[in-house]
Amino acid sequence: MESVKLHDKVFESYISEAQIDQRVGELGAQIGDDFRDVDMLSIGVLNGAFVFAADLLRAIPYEVECSFVKMSSYVDTHSTGVVSELIGLGESLEGRHVLIIEDIVDTGSTLRKFMETLRGKNPASVRIASLLLKSEVFDNAFPVDYVGFDIPNHFVVGYGLDYNGLGRGLRSIYRIVEG
Ligand code: IMP
Ligand code: MG
């Protein structure tokens, strides 16, 4: 599929299924090495991270516990800056090594808010894996330890990412065609 139309906007092919597959495999191997002997809990950030989390977990060569939280800040194609936590965390994080799994870090406000709530739960460490990073926009307020692809400031959909609810099931990543 070269391009797709979602609501009123057209998106063009950007990162292929094969490229994603290869990169997720590399990240899974690296994360697998880094967390091998520790008590790890991975936390996917819904909605967008559900596809990446599913593939990343299966790329880690041993059993990993996985939970999810639900955060929301985006309306249309822009971050509102107001982040709300819609579903919280049930698990205790005390002394555990946490891996946050995100679809994309854009302004960073979603994860900044989430990390504030994690800090009170006394995890042994917190690391972040994000499939995509918009480093031109991100203020580097915290390290993103595992990055799939660093991309320019384009709005993208697919592989879990949506435009107003559509596009999450696309197997590859598409970027918006402006104008
Ligand atoms: P941030 O809080 O600005 O870092 O934005 C993070 C959240 O906004 C991500 O977890 C996504 O759910 C959403 N988001 C940011 N950029 C995009 C995009 O290009 N396409 C779709 N969703 C995005
Ligand atoms: Mg997200």
Side-chain angles (χ1 to χ4, degrees), residues 14 74 104-109 112 132-142 144 147 149-156 175 178:
Y14 186 41
Y74 251 63
I104 184 165
V105 175
D106 181 354
T107 63
S109 54
R112 192 174 313 109
L132 303 172
L133 172 69
K134 291 182 185 170
S135 63
E136 288 172 3
V137 185
F138 180 49
D139 62 7
N140 285 302
F142 47 82
V144 183
V147 176
F149 302 92
D150 192 333
I151 64 168
N153 188 20
H154 303 300
F155 186 77
V156 295
R175 75 174 162 204
E178 303 287 356

Side-chain angles (χ1 to χ4, degrees), residues 1-7 9-18 20-21 24 47-55 103 131-132 155-177:
M1 236 185 316
E2 284 307 303
S3 68
V4 289
K5 187 158 192 244
L6 304 173
H7 300 296
K9 299 201 188 298
V10 177
F11 296 82
E12 64 189 6
S13 207
Y14 186 41
I15 304 175
S16 72
E17 196 178 345
I20 296 169
D21 194 53
V24 173
N47 290 329
F50 76 109
V51 179
F52 177 46
D55 285 347
D103 52 354
L131 180 72
L132 303 172
F155 186 77
V156 295
V157 295
Y159 198 75
L161 292 139
D162 74 309
Y163 167 51
N164 282 349
L166 296 182
R168 295 193 195 277
L170 295 165
R171 303 181 76 94
S172 59
I173 292 173
Y174 293 75
R175 75 174 162 204
I176 199 162
V177 178

Side-chain angles (χ1 to χ4, degrees), residues 45 48 102-103:
V45 183
E102 246 299 22
D103 52 354

